[in-house]
């Protein structure tokens, strides 16, 4: 599905040059579940932003669905991103002024789905995430676990080929964190490709393999032997 080749990301200010990623080489196959771990500031979120085409690398190549996208314009990246990638964030990133239903529907509006298709897809996603009973509520009326269920529903509503999850359990207690991980594992079981940044070794084991970053480098890669369902 995707591959990076000697990928590097450098941030420049007037006085400082900071290398966030350096010579990153790895690939993710269609249908894989991969976790990314490492200490704060090691480049995990930067890597996820580039994989999600929210940013471009400074050097190197990023190949997504057989397209070399590292030098794509923002418009080109946005088109490819909207059609193929769903995001789940630690802070949920729901729009407070929209209901649960409207938040989940939003990606389908951008993709110009018909009203009938939007209704069908949103209701299916809400049912799958067991949050249909809250469809007319606003985010601030929900618990953290419920908000993350809505965020996952929004991420999957357009049936993306890839889900990028940035610390999806970071703002949740252990019970709600476990539930979110079971949801992600279930999505993987039906063939969705998932890349997840996490600080939790326990949750990393839900993935098939774990990539460890340190100071912007891939330092180790572990293949998990135990799968959670």
């Amino acid at each position: 599905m995707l591959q990076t080749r000697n990928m590097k990301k450098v941030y420049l200010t007037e006085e400082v040059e900071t290398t966030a990623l350096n010579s990153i080489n790895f690939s993710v196959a269609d249908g894989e579940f991969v976790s990314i771990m490492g200490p704060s500031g090691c480049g995990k979120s930067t890597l996820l932003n580039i994989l999600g085409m929210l940013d471009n690398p400074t050097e190197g190549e990023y190949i997504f669905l057989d397209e070399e996208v590292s030098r794509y314009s923002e418009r080109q990246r946005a088109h490819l991103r909207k059609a193929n990638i769903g995001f789940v964030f630690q802070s949920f990133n729901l729009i407070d002024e929209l209901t649960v239903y409207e938040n989940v529907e939003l990606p389908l509006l951008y993709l110009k789905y018909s009203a009938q298709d939007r209704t069908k897809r949103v209701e299916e996603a809400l049912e799958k995430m067991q949050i249909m009973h809250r469809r007319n509520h606003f985010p601030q009326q929900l618990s953290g676990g419920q908000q993350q269920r809505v965020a996952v529903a929004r991420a999957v509503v357009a049936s993306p080929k890839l889900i990028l999850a940035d610390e999806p359990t970071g703002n949740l207690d252990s019970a709600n964190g476990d539930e979110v991980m079971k949801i992600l594992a279930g999505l993987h079981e039906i063939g969705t490709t998932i890349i997840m940044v996490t600080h939790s070794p326990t949750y990393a084991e839900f993935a098939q393999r774990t990539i460890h970053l340190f100071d912007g480098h891939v330092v180790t890669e572990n293949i998990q032997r135990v799968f959670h369902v």
Side-chain angles (χ1 to χ4, degrees), residues 88-228:
V88 181
F89 301 96
Q90 176 178 348
S91 56
F92 317 134
N93 283 19
L94 300 176
I95 299 174
D96 289 340
E97 294 78 18
L98 300 182
T99 65
V100 164
Y101 185 98
E102 291 166 340
N103 267 281
V104 176
E105 183 185 33
L106 201 56
L108 303 179
L109 290 170
Y110 291 141
L111 292 168
K112 302 187 186 305
Y113 278 77
S114 69
Q116 183 177 359
D117 284 346
R118 293 199 307 271
T119 298
K120 180 176 183 294
R121 282 179 171 268
V122 172
E123 290 181 351
E124 286 177 351
L126 293 176
E127 289 285 3
K128 184 183 295 184
M129 296 303 121
Q130 300 178 12
I131 199 72
M132 176 64 89
H133 62 294
R134 297 286 195 176
R135 59 178 290 165
N136 294 321
H137 288 71
F138 291 91
Q140 297 306 313
Q141 296 174 300
L142 307 179
S143 68
Q146 289 171 331
Q147 289 188 61
Q148 195 60 295
R149 285 176 180 272
V150 176
V152 174
R154 181 185 58 191
V156 304
V157 70
S159 300
K161 294 180 174 66
L162 172 66
I163 290 179
L164 299 177
D166 192 358
E167 292 284 357
T169 64
N171 284 337
L172 304 177
D173 59 31
S174 59
N176 280 307
D178 291 348
E179 286 301 313
V180 168
M181 289 309 306
K182 288 177 183 177
I183 289 170
L184 292 177
L187 292 169
H188 171 242
E189 285 293 317
I190 62 174
T192 306
T193 307
I194 300 173
I195 302 176
M196 175 184 70
V197 165
T198 182
H199 282 293
S200 168
T202 299
Y203 291 152
E205 290 185 358
F206 278 76
Q208 293 169 289
R209 60 189 171 107
T210 299
I211 295 169
H212 295 265
L213 294 184
F214 187 78
D215 286 348
H217 295 270
V218 174
V219 291
T220 60
E221 184 173 330
N222 300 331
I223 298 176
Q224 269 73 263
R225 299 298 181 184
V226 179
F227 297 90
H228 297 249

Side-chain angles (χ1 to χ4, degrees), residues 6-49:
N6 298 317
M7 198 168 70
K8 185 174 183 179
K9 182 64 180 180
V10 177
Y11 293 102
L12 297 172
T13 65
E14 291 183 0
E15 299 179 353
V16 179
E17 177 179 304
T18 302
T19 301
L21 297 173
N22 198 358
S23 298
I24 299 294
N25 293 279
F26 74 95
S27 61
V28 176
D30 189 25
E32 267 199 290
F33 190 166
V34 176
S35 61
I36 299 173
M37 297 191 72
S40 296
C42 73
K44 300 187 301 297
S45 292
T46 299
L47 177 58
L48 215 65
N49 283 341

